[in-house]
Amino acid sequence: MRQSTYLKMGLNMLVHSKLRSWLTIIGIVIGIGSVVGILSLGDAMQEQVQSRLAEMDLTKITISPGYTKASSNMPGFPGMRGSSTDSELTDDDIEALQGLDGIQYIAGQISGSESVIYAAQNATLSITGVDPQVWKYMTTLKTQSGRLLEPADKYVAVIGSGIASGVYDQEIGVNQVININGKAVRVVGILEEEGERGDRSIYMPIDGAVNLLDDAEEGVYDSITVKAKSEDLVDGLMEDIVDKLMVSRHIVQEDDRDFSVTASKSMAESVTEMTSSMTLFLGAIAAVSLLVGAVGIANTMFTSVLEKTKEIGTMKAIGAKNRDILMIFLFNSAMVGLVGGILGDILGACVSTLFPMLGLRMMRGGGSSDIYLAPDLMAFGLILAVLIGVISGVVPAYRASKLKPVDALRYE
């Protein structure tokens, strides 16, 4: 027989077993739709992560007070450091590190929240005191208007775009004056939109911030930021920083360590790995539904063979070969997979468009949250569905092809 004949007969079997075939196809539709939808979400997450990583300074290393062994195993998450908060970072630590090779810039910074008044309105906002000598060389923040901090600045501020336009009824512009803890501070720059947290931050010279923030002391920092000369030096520089601080702070035992060293590069790697793992995990769950669909196809094909046993006997009696019977049933199972794959792709596209509507924005504040179905992913879903259909139909088709004409014609 010709392949067109196999195709015609396989299609005829699919059309004339509507209910059973469509019930089987539904299983494939759900499986392919889940896999395609989840993989498209994973692609969107990866794209968002890569977009954010491209904006990050991967040469940045942060030294923070406090340390536990748990934090050492999770170098990318400074927020998980230990509870040794009674330690302090001071000018002595900066002086100890300044001689290390690989450091391009180093500076301490302080942070806190204070009441900020503008146009007779009051709001509690986050304030970060930075070294204006080097801050503009160490930060990746950019201004949408005005400028960054300069070395001669003291009671001036660069504010996030969210503060400029979203906190007070009256918009704050460059050269406007805000009142922080009773002190007039002039706004010299407004940052580009960064993200929910960054858009609501105020940056000002550390000398001025020390006088405005409660509990702040001159020469004592909440963190020390180091910028390495290159990304390749980060790992080695982190080890050197730990060794140097252990010596300068007279710490002998690891258990007595009271500081943490984290790097943006480590955080980026951790986020990338976590995103990949989550996509793989969700994809594996979706694959279970595909397995159920494959069992459904096999079950349908076995039933079809039983129902068409006499027809198989007749076909063989008039000259059909085992290969012909095998190919007819394989084409039939492949068509079940094909139809399921097409509808599954449509379902996956619908699911993908629903993710943003459900508020599933993985990287708020940066890049687009739109999720679209890539053509190669749709082709993958289609090929996978056909492949599952063919594999599920192999055994029933083989059994059908091996039926003897006499036995098949006698079958009741």
Side-chain angles (χ1 to χ4, degrees):
M1 290 185 188
R2 296 178 178 178
Q3 290 190 352
S4 58
T5 306
Y6 300 146
L7 181 64
K8 184 178 178 182
M9 297 187 72
L11 182 61
N12 188 52
M13 289 171 61
L14 176 64
V15 171
H16 288 87
S17 56
K18 292 181 180 175
L19 179 61
R20 187 177 64 246
S21 295
W22 279 105
L23 289 175
T24 303
I25 287 171
I26 287 175
I28 297 296
V29 171
I30 294 173
I32 293 295
S34 303
V35 170
V36 169
I38 287 173
L39 289 181
S40 67
L41 173 63
D43 287 346
M45 289 168 55
Q46 291 281 4
E47 186 179 339
Q48 294 276 13
V49 168
Q50 293 302 323
S51 174
R52 297 291 291 172
L53 292 183
E55 298 173 1
M56 288 178 62
D57 182 3
L58 299 182
T59 62
K60 180 180 173 183
I61 299 172
T62 302
I63 305 165
S64 309
Y67 176 78
T68 63
K69 288 184 178 179
S71 69
S72 68
N73 294 329
M74 305 183 96
F77 296 88
M80 302 196 64
R81 62 179 183 269
S83 57
S84 309
T85 53
D86 55 340
S87 63
E88 293 180 340
L89 298 173
T90 66
D91 282 333
D92 293 338
D93 297 310
I94 293 179
E95 291 176 8
L97 297 175
Q98 280 178 333
L100 289 178
D101 292 334
I103 291 182
Q104 188 173 20
Y105 299 109
I106 181 170
Q109 68 178 40
I110 60 174
S111 59
S113 296
E114 285 295 341
S115 174
V116 180
I117 299 174
Y118 178 70
Q121 281 188 284
N122 190 4
T124 301
L125 299 172
S126 172
I127 298 173
T128 302
V130 298
D131 185 349
Q133 301 279 348
V134 297
W135 184 59
K136 66 179 180 181
Y137 304 112
M138 299 178 70
T139 185
T140 57
L141 298 173
K142 296 178 181 176
T143 55
Q144 65 180 23
S145 60
R147 61 172 176 83
L148 294 176
L149 301 176
E150 298 290 347
D153 291 335
K154 187 171 183 180
Y155 290 111
V156 300
V158 175
I159 65 175
S161 59
I163 296 176
S165 58
V167 174
Y168 303 97
D169 292 340
Q170 188 174 337
E171 188 171 336
I172 304 176
V174 176
N175 290 324
Q176 299 290 319
V177 176
I178 57 178
N179 190 297
I180 303 176
N181 217 1
K183 182 72 178 179
V185 176
R186 184 168 60 90
V187 175
V188 297
I190 297 173
L191 296 171
E192 290 181 351
E193 186 176 352
E194 171 70 14
E196 289 185 352
R197 187 174 177 182
D199 289 346
R200 298 176 69 89
S201 294
I202 296 175
Y203 297 89
M204 60 182 302
I206 194 168
D207 289 344
V210 166
N211 296 330
L212 299 181
L213 291 174
D214 291 338
D215 301 327
E217 295 180 45
E218 191 170 350
V220 178
Y221 308 106
D222 293 319
S223 64
I224 294 174
T225 303
V226 173
K227 182 177 176 63
K229 290 179 180 176
S230 77
E231 187 180 326
D232 296 335
L233 298 175
V234 169
D235 292 336
L237 187 55
M238 287 180 68
E239 295 178 4
D240 293 341
I241 288 172
V242 172
D243 293 340
K244 194 72 175 180
L245 288 181
M246 293 282 279
V247 173
S248 67
R249 295 168 78 93
H250 308 293
I251 299 171
V252 179
Q253 301 293 331
E254 181 75 10
D255 291 341
D256 297 330
R257 185 171 152 184
D258 58 0
F259 64 90
S260 299
V261 180
T262 58
S264 300
K265 181 182 175 184
S266 301
M267 185 174 69
E269 292 171 350
S270 298
V271 170
T272 302
E273 186 177 344
M274 184 175 65
T275 305
S276 300
S277 300
M278 189 164 69
T279 302
L280 186 63
F281 175 70
L282 293 175
I285 293 176
V288 173
S289 57
L290 269 181
L291 180 62
V292 175
V295 173
I297 292 178
N299 181 54
T300 299
M301 296 306 299
F302 275 118
T303 306
S304 181
V305 170
L306 292 176
E307 290 178 349
K308 297 184 180 300
T309 300
K310 277 197 171 181
E311 291 181 35
I312 294 170
T314 304
M315 292 171 64
K316 285 199 166 185
I318 61 177
K321 299 177 181 177
N322 289 354
R323 180 176 179 276
D324 297 328
I325 303 299
L326 178 74
M327 294 304 293
I328 289 170
F329 280 92
L330 281 182
F331 266 76
N332 179 233
S333 61
M335 282 181 202
V336 172
L338 177 65
V339 175
I342 293 172
L343 296 179
D345 276 350
I346 295 173
L347 177 63
C350 295
V351 170
S352 299
T353 56
L354 285 176
F355 281 134
M357 297 179 186
L358 294 172
L360 202 55
R361 297 164 186 261
M362 305 310 296
M363 299 293 288
R364 286 180 181 272
S368 168
S369 62
D370 293 338
I371 300 172
Y372 68 94
L373 209 55
D376 57 344
L377 189 55
M378 296 183 72
F380 168 74
L382 209 56
I383 293 171
L384 181 62
V386 173
L387 191 62
I388 288 174
V390 171
I391 293 174
S392 303
V394 166
V395 174
Y398 178 78
R399 291 184 60 177
S401 69
K402 291 299 181 183
L403 286 174
K404 294 180 179 177
V406 175
D407 295 335
L409 289 171
R410 287 178 179 172
Y411 181 77
E412 294 294 337

